[in-house]
Amino acid sequence: MSVLECRNLTKAYKKGYNVLNGLNIQVPGGRIVGLLGPNGCGKSTLIKIIAGILQPNEGEVFVDGKPVGEQTKALVSYLPERTYFNAWMRVEELVSYFAEFYQDFDKDKAYRLLKDLNIDPKAKLKTLSKGTKEKVQLILVMSRNAKLYLLDEPIAGVDPAAREYILSTIVGNYNPDSTIIITTHLISDVEQVLDDFMFISYGGYVMKQGSVEQVRMENSCSLDEYFREVFRCSQNF
Amino acid sequence: MAWSFSGHTPVYLQIAQRIRAEIIRGTYPPKSQIPSVRQLALTAAVNPNTVQHALTALETEGIIYSEGTAGRFVTDNTELIDAARQEAAHQLVGEFVSRAAQLSISKDELIEMIKEEDI
């Protein structure tokens, strides 16, 4: 059974302007999938719909066979592109907060990851830099034992060394039952951890999808180069 | 440290090549155990399925073998390892010669240059 299935998904923020247009996807368990596309093609919208934050105008979404709703929120671990924490909280307070909120939260893991990244659990969020806040948020998201992880731009704001650590964390978290969906523009950084990719085009439909290794075999180029070719912006002088 | 990969060939082939090189070099001697898929995936920061694919390819070659849940081990067939060494060397020389040819260096020149190098 697929961990994630979207059927004929359509979303418009304004009537007549569809962000997503009859989008269909099916993702089996145990995959790490890159959701890629140019700016404004609807990646974050799609992620938010799967997370149950936005309602689609048409279509259905199933997580682990269940329609998106209360039940699926317990299965989905979502990393938004922006941080949403209260500035007055301390990191350790957030950890307890998450542990209370989510049954599948692994506190030991969270503290281990914080230590690895040299983040003081006693620190107040308002004293942390933007990148460090993003790291905290990712740690919290990855410390759950979820069925589906939705990571919206997980590495955009962090330094290259931490980026590597985060990718290892994602790989280390891998288990054959859960699926990870990552959106990013830093394709060359993530492509070696991906099984599959999906290119979403303007107008919100899946333009191309497949396995990353297949791209390399058939086109003898990396996914990053392939993306540049597919979405080439032409210059008119 | 994450491994880096070139864009033109599948990552699993590049991983297989790297492990094969370690076997040829003797980092993993005959009959020794090689790291698990999980360990390799973590050190290389690569998708575990890709690592799995690479190890399966090496198993098909016969240079490593799987012993159920105990893990994967390097073959004790030293002839096979030697053959892999020869093949890797031929490949390297082939690339080297063709790149030298692009610079229009003659074979004699090339041989002289190699002799002058310290190896």
Side-chain angles (χ1 to χ4, degrees):
Chain A
M1 191 175 53
S2 10
V3 164
L4 172 67
E5 190 178 352
C6 297
R7 286 189 210 144
N8 193 28
L9 218 53
T10 300
K11 173 77 188 170
Y13 290 104
K14 189 181 165 193
K15 213 176 172 184
Y17 295 87
N18 284 2
V19 182
L20 300 179
N21 219 336
L23 181 133
N24 289 298
I25 49 178
Q26 234 177 352
V27 185
R31 309 298 278 182
I32 304 179
V33 183
L35 187 65
L36 313 166
N39 301 106
C41 72
K43 299 184 296 289
S44 296
T45 301
L46 175 60
I47 294 268
K48 283 175 189 163
I49 291 174
I50 300 168
I53 291 169
L54 286 177
Q55 289 293 324
N57 296 71
E58 267 173 63
E60 297 165 302
V61 184
F62 298 93
V63 175
D64 205 25
K66 301 175 190 75
V68 165
E70 239 173 273
Q71 272 189 313
T72 64
K73 286 192 184 175
L75 304 173
V76 176
S77 192
Y78 166 54
L79 177 84
E81 54 186 331
R82 294 193 185 88
T83 51
Y84 55 88
F85 302 136
N86 291 318
W88 52 267
M89 277 183 121
R90 292 180 195 278
V91 175
E92 57 183 3
E93 288 171 333
L94 256 178
V95 172
S96 312
Y97 188 68
F98 259 67
E100 258 177 61
F101 217 87
Y102 297 109
Q103 279 189 328
D104 59 2
F105 192 83
D106 181 347
K107 239 179 162 173
D108 295 336
K109 186 173 176 187
Y111 278 111
R112 202 175 63 235
L113 296 177
L114 285 170
K115 197 173 162 233
D116 283 349
L117 284 173
N118 287 316
I119 299 171
D120 178 12
K122 302 256 179 244
K124 278 196 178 167
L125 282 168
K126 67 174 171 200
T127 66
L128 301 178
S129 72
K130 177 172 176 278
T132 309
K133 266 187 258 183
E134 288 190 15
K135 287 180 198 168
V136 171
Q137 192 165 353
L138 187 80
I139 287 171
L140 294 170
V141 166
M142 294 313 288
S143 297
R144 287 183 56 194
N145 293 308
K147 195 93 189 169
L148 178 64
Y149 296 86
L150 303 171
L151 311 179
D152 201 352
E153 292 281 356
I155 54 170
V158 302
D159 61 85
R163 219 171 265 179
E164 207 164 89
Y165 177 84
I166 286 167
L167 290 176
S168 299
T169 311
I170 292 173
V171 168
N173 195 68
Y174 175 86
N175 88 59
D177 292 325
S178 62
T179 281
I180 304 174
I181 294 184
I182 304 175
T183 79
T184 186
H185 292 296
L186 299 164
I187 303 176
S188 59
D189 280 340
V190 301
E191 64 172 287
Q192 64 198 50
V193 312
L194 302 179
D195 286 297
D196 304 313
F197 72 95
M198 275 176 209
F199 283 175
I200 312 283
S201 182
Y202 290 115
Y205 62 95
V206 178
M207 189 180 181
K208 281 189 163 48
Q209 58 183 324
S211 93
V212 178
E213 293 288 64
Q214 201 74 31
V215 167
R216 285 172 178 258
M217 243 177 294
E218 283 169 10
N219 306 286
S220 19
C221 69
S222 65
L223 190 63
D224 185 70
E225 289 164 323
Y226 188 57
F227 182 94
R228 286 168 208 253
E229 198 181 296
V230 171
F231 292 107
R232 172 164 292 142
C233 310
S234 49
Q235 266 173 334
N236 298 305
F237 291 109
Chain B
M1 183 64 192
W3 298 358
S4 53
F5 299 95
S6 82
H8 306 287
T9 46
V11 173
Y12 87 91
L13 288 177
Q14 297 182 53
I15 297 172
Q17 192 180 16
R18 194 155 164 159
I19 297 171
R20 200 185 298 111
E22 299 286 359
I23 293 171
I24 292 167
R25 198 186 304 150
T27 319
Y28 305 135
K31 288 184 126 170
S32 69
Q33 186 171 12
I34 61 164
S36 68
V37 169
R38 199 184 157 76
Q39 277 172 310
L40 285 167
L42 275 175
T43 34
V46 173
N47 188 302
N49 290 326
T50 313
V51 176
Q52 179 75 42
H53 195 172
L55 294 183
T56 311
L58 290 172
E59 266 177 44
T60 316
E61 265 172 49
I63 200 159
I64 63 171
Y65 63 96
S66 157
E67 210 151 80
T69 49
R72 289 187 175 79
F73 298 84
V74 178
T75 177
D76 57 358
N77 183 347
T78 46
E79 277 173 34
L80 200 68
I81 297 174
D82 209 49
R85 186 170 159 270
Q86 291 289 334
E87 201 191 312
H90 276 298
Q91 209 178 349
L92 198 65
V93 171
E95 278 166 35
F96 173 66
V97 169
S98 71
R99 287 183 70 172
Q102 282 171 6
L103 300 171
S104 65
I105 300 170
S106 74
K107 194 173 174 181
D108 292 337
E109 259 182 296
L110 203 57
I111 292 169
E112 275 314 305
M113 284 168 157
I114 292 170
K115 280 182 185 159
E116 284 164 24
E117 281 292 319
D118 298 323
I119 300 180

